[in-house]
Amino acid sequence: HRLHTVISFDKILSIDTGRVVEFGRPVDLLDQPGGHLATMAAALGPAATAKLRELASAASRSKDSGA
């Protein structure tokens, strides 16, 4: 997966077999056990998951502060 290319987006929409399965801020979706984004991140391994969480958190803080 190329999750690093979308992890700093405002929102992520996950679709499975033509149906929306989740939508929200990456930082929130990564915190949903069993969610699509969290599952894809976990499949990349612990180091990659930690980096994705770090990037999502930084992007969220930046957007929340208006930067």
Side-chain angles (χ1 to χ4, degrees), residues 9-15 19-30 32 35-37:
F9 286 13
D10 292 337
K11 304 277 181 160
I12 292 179
L13 173 71
S14 295
I15 299 173
R19 294 180 184 235
V20 174
V21 292
E22 66 184 11
F23 175 73
R25 297 182 325 152
V27 70
D28 297 330
L29 297 178
L30 285 171
Q32 293 183 4
H36 265 46
L37 184 63

Side-chain angles (χ1 to χ4, degrees), residues 2-13 23-30 37 52 55-64:
R2 297 174 48 101
L3 299 180
H4 66 282
T5 63
V6 299
I7 205 66
S8 63
F9 286 13
D10 292 337
K11 304 277 181 160
I12 292 179
L13 173 71
F23 175 73
R25 297 182 325 152
V27 70
D28 297 330
L29 297 178
L30 285 171
L37 184 63
L52 289 170
L55 292 170
S57 292
S60 179
R61 282 192 308 271
S62 175
K63 287 175 179 70
D64 289 345

